[in-house]
Amino acid sequence: ATSLAGSSQRLGPTCNNSLLMLRASVSDRPGLSVRWCTDNARNLHAHKHKEHAAHEGHMDGCWSCEAKLKEDKFFCSSCSRIQPPGADNYFGMLCCPQRFDINLKQLETNYWKLQMRLHPDRFHGKSSVEREYSSLQASLLNNAYNTLKHPHLRAK
């Protein structure tokens, strides 16, 4: 059996809390193996690093299948999973030219098309990661739209 203390040293200091919670799970559930818990902590650790890199704009691949992302910045063309918010500004997110004078009707059309794809209600049966990314994307989209539709906010 693998010791949890040795595992925490290999995983790094950020996973120590997860391993302490896993240690409690192992002692409460005799059928649960330490190896299973350690592997899950390692997977959680790897996913958190991927997630952080994606939020910081350091990844150009899908968080799920690692396929190179193409034209659609919201969904992977390979596995169809929603992606975390990228580094686009509000204009880029809503496919509008970056200038003060914008077509408000086109802005609204683009907003509603994206909202129909990104809204959290469409992800109720998906993984927690996908639900979180949907919520982040929809929130960012709302902020972008509310900023760009008002001339005084758009000017900032």
Side-chain angles (χ1 to χ4, degrees):
T2 306
S3 79
L4 289 175
S7 298
S8 65
Q9 290 170 352
R10 283 193 311 258
L11 291 172
T14 57
C15 289
N16 285 338
N17 288 341
S18 297
L19 287 171
L20 290 174
M21 289 189 305
L22 291 172
R23 179 181 289 147
S25 296
V26 170
S27 64
D28 291 347
R29 299 179 191 154
L32 203 58
S33 75
V34 172
R35 181 168 193 94
W36 180 87
C37 291
T38 304
D39 289 345
N40 279 335
R42 201 174 284 118
N43 291 340
L44 174 68
H45 182 71
H47 177 73
K48 287 297 180 189
H49 281 293
K50 258 190 197 179
E51 192 176 291
H52 176 70
H55 283 299
E56 296 297 317
H58 300 306
M59 284 182 66
D60 59 352
C62 173
W63 64 269
S64 178
C65 71
E66 298 182 5
K68 182 131 177 93
L69 295 177
K70 298 186 178 161
E71 294 146 17
D72 188 350
K73 54 191 156 215
F74 301 105
F75 293 89
C76 174
S77 59
S78 184
C79 69
S80 301
R81 297 213 179 192
I82 191 167
Q83 298 301 302
D88 265 355
N89 62 24
Y90 287 170
F91 292 96
M93 184 175 202
L94 284 159
C95 303
C96 291
Q98 192 166 343
R99 60 178 192 233
F100 181 75
D101 185 27
I102 60 174
N103 181 337
L104 293 177
K105 186 68 177 165
Q106 187 62 49
L107 176 73
E108 183 177 7
T109 300
N110 293 350
Y111 167 76
W112 285 112
K113 282 181 182 178
L114 284 171
Q115 193 60 276
M116 287 189 330
R117 294 177 67 205
L118 300 172
H119 196 275
D121 287 349
R122 296 185 53 93
F123 295 86
H124 70 277
K126 302 289 185 175
S127 71
S128 62
V129 173
E130 290 174 283
R131 288 192 309 268
E132 179 185 344
Y133 287 160
S134 170
S135 180
L136 290 170
Q137 289 280 28
S139 176
L140 189 60
L141 181 63
N142 287 335
N143 289 341
Y145 177 67
N146 287 323
T147 299
L148 294 181
K149 76 177 181 179
H150 298 291
H152 64 282
L153 294 174
R154 188 179 336 127
K156 292 181 182 182

